[in-house]
């Protein structure tokens, strides 16, 4: 009798799972595409491929996941493409989605998409080549104050992103106006580091995950990190506060979809993303790239983006008054 009951229970569970799987398949289709609006190895690309890896390996979706790199115009080409899609496409975003518009570089705003999630934050760092005579972030800023145009600063993929903005905010604290800083724009962080090693630029600002592989290869020195305290993994890298600059700055990355996504799609991704960020493999991903968990679901993300839009507008209004 017990064996019959067990068989009935297992059959019922299988039927339920099958129904759920079929329902999910109807919502997201056989294939999901994640748009990384940057080249391979950039921060957006790392995030997209981390999602792809965890969602597939943990079997959190039934279909296939492809990552598509749509490169150009500081994320603009990838986001325009996403905006025009209707079926099962997501895109990685960051604050540049907001600042592109505030700077007049784009007509697209965060309101032109369906918010899905904010996933993680990471710190900003300032790097120089390993053989550079710049010994500290403080000495760099002091020298820049005396002769700002002597220093070429590398940034990617566009002005107005957090890499540049964090550096501008530091400059303000030592009396430098943003128009005194000479930024050189590159398509991705690999090109920035290449220019740094070839002495075409003197210093670069980028996210920690992008810089760390070059640091591990002993090609660059990290002068400073925008964290509130030194990281255990990088005990020799001081914070801005240790360099006498009052700045703690976090860079976030999230996920969005095309406009007019259905309630069923949003609900599916809310459930799936919440499961994803709770997996051990996602936690290992955070540790690998030294990201901080900052998960927000779709409704929380909508509020967060509105708040960020107001914050960046205030920051950039200050910059425009210089």
């Amino acid at each position: 009798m017990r064996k019959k009951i067990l068989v009935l229970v297992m059959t019922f569970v299988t039927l339920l799972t099958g129904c759920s799987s079929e329902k999910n398949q109807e919502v997201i289709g056989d294939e999901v595409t994640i748009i990384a609006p940057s080249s391979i190895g950039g921060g957006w690309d790392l995030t997209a491929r981390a999602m792809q890896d965890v969602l597939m390996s943990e079997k959190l979706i039934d279909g296939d996941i492809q990552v598509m790199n749509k490169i150009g115009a500081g994320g603009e080409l990838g986001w325009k493409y996403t905006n025009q899609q209707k079926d099962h496409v997501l895109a990685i975003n960051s604050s540049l989605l907001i600042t592109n518009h505030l700077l007049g570089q784009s007509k697209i705003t965060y309101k032109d998409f369906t918010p899905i999630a904010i996933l993680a934050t990471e710190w900003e760092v300032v790097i120089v080549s390993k053989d550079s005579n710049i010994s500290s972030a403080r000495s760099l800023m002091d020298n820049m104050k005396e002769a700002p145009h002597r220093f070429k600063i590398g940034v990617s993929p566009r002005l107005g992103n957090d890499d540049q903005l964090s550096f501008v905010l530091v400059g303000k604290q030592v009396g430098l106006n943003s128009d005194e800083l000479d930024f050189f724009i590159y398509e991705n962080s690999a090109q920035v580091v290449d220019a740094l090693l070839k002495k075409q630029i003197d210093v670069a600002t980028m996210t920690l995950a992008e810089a760390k592989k070059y640091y591990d290869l002993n090609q660059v020195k990290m002068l400073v990190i925008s964290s509130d305290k030194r990281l255990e993994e990088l005990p020799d890298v001081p914070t801005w506060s240790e360099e006498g600059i009052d700045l703690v700055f976090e860079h976030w990355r999230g996920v969005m979809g095309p406009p007019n996504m259905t309630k069923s799609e949003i609900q599916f991704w809310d459930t799936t993303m919440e499961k994803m960020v709770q997996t051990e493999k996602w936690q290992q991903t955070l540790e690998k790239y030294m990201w901080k968990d900052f998960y927000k679901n779709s409704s929380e993300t909508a509020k967060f983006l509105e708040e960020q839009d107001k914050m960046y507008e205030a920051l950039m209004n200050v910059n425009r008054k210089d």
Side-chain angles (χ1 to χ4, degrees):
M1 182 69 179
R2 180 179 295 175
K3 187 175 181 180
K4 287 183 178 179
I5 294 173
L6 180 60
V7 170
L8 285 172
V9 169
M10 292 300 293
T11 302
F12 182 65
V13 169
T14 301
L15 286 171
L16 280 179
T17 305
C19 290
S20 175
S21 177
E22 289 173 8
K23 186 176 180 181
N24 290 344
Q25 204 73 23
E26 290 175 6
V27 172
I28 65 167
D30 293 324
E31 182 174 294
V32 174
T33 300
I34 304 176
I35 303 299
S38 65
S39 54
I40 294 174
W44 291 323
D45 178 73
L46 291 177
T47 307
R49 294 183 189 279
M51 281 181 56
Q52 177 193 40
D53 181 31
V54 177
L55 290 172
M56 294 293 291
S57 64
E58 298 294 313
K59 302 187 186 324
L60 295 178
I61 73 166
D62 302 318
D64 190 22
I65 298 180
Q66 299 294 328
V67 173
M68 181 186 295
N69 294 85
K70 285 279 186 181
I71 307 164
E76 182 81 355
L77 294 186
W79 293 329
K80 276 187 176 180
Y81 175 84
T82 304
N83 176 262
Q84 296 163 359
Q85 303 308 301
K86 293 182 179 179
D87 297 322
H88 321 308
V89 172
L90 300 178
I92 306 301
N93 62 20
S94 67
S95 59
L96 200 53
L97 177 68
I98 294 172
T99 58
N100 272 351
H101 177 69
L102 292 175
L103 288 171
Q105 297 173 154
S106 172
K107 292 183 180 179
I108 288 181
T109 79
Y110 70 94
K111 296 178 182 178
D112 294 315
F113 301 90
T114 301
I116 296 297
I118 302 295
L119 294 177
T121 64
E122 63 175 320
W123 304 114
E124 297 283 344
V125 296
V126 175
I127 61 173
V128 294
S129 63
K130 188 66 179 180
D131 58 355
S132 171
N133 59 8
I134 300 172
S135 59
S136 71
R138 185 73 224 194
S139 65
L140 169 66
M141 300 314 296
D142 288 342
N143 289 331
M144 289 187 76
K145 186 176 179 181
E146 292 181 12
H149 295 296
R150 274 181 43 209
F151 296 87
K152 297 176 181 177
I153 311 159
V155 65
S156 70
R158 178 175 272 192
L159 295 181
N161 70 349
D162 281 348
D163 302 344
Q164 187 218 8
L165 185 57
S166 60
F167 200 92
V168 167
L169 292 174
V170 169
K172 283 183 172 298
Q173 292 201 38
V174 299
L176 282 164
N177 292 326
S178 57
D179 57 5
E180 293 180 289
L181 300 173
D182 291 336
F183 288 101
F184 289 74
I185 309 166
Y186 297 86
E187 186 64 52
N188 53 53
S189 57
Q191 291 182 12
V192 173
V193 172
D194 185 59
L196 194 65
L197 299 181
K198 290 178 178 177
K199 313 299 183 186
Q200 295 168 353
I201 57 176
D202 304 291
V203 61
T205 171
M206 63 181 61
T207 61
L208 174 57
E210 291 172 314
K212 190 174 183 299
K213 56 187 172 184
Y214 304 105
Y215 177 79
D216 290 342
L217 290 170
N218 202 33
Q219 294 179 326
V220 303
K221 293 187 291 187
M222 282 190 198
L223 297 182
V224 68
I225 189 167
S226 67
S227 55
D228 53 346
K229 59 184 179 181
R230 291 199 187 200
L231 304 187
E232 291 182 6
E233 301 88 344
L234 298 168
D236 296 329
V237 182
T239 65
W240 277 115
S241 62
E242 291 179 275
E243 298 294 291
I245 305 292
D246 183 20
L247 180 79
V248 175
F249 197 102
E250 291 184 272
H251 174 65
W252 55 265
R253 289 201 185 93
V255 187
M256 62 189 181
N260 304 317
M261 287 178 71
T262 66
K263 289 183 179 179
S264 296
E265 287 177 293
I266 297 170
Q267 184 177 1
F268 169 81
W269 285 116
D270 268 347
T271 302
T272 302
M273 291 294 179
E274 185 172 358
K275 289 178 181 177
M276 183 189 80
V277 299
Q278 291 175 353
T279 64
E280 183 178 349
K281 188 153 191 176
W282 181 255
Q283 296 305 312
Q284 291 170 350
T285 299
L286 296 180
E287 292 177 14
K288 176 181 178 180
Y289 295 120
M290 287 186 276
W291 295 344
K292 288 177 60 181
D293 176 54
F294 196 58
Y295 175 68
K296 296 182 183 296
N297 65 23
S298 58
S299 60
E300 293 168 335
T301 296
K303 294 176 184 176
F304 175 77
L305 292 174
E306 184 177 355
E307 292 166 357
Q308 288 290 291
D309 185 60
K310 292 176 181 176
M311 183 200 76
Y312 279 103
E313 183 176 18
L315 287 175
M316 295 182 132
N317 279 338
V318 170
N319 290 341
R320 286 196 290 264
K321 289 176 184 177
D322 288 345

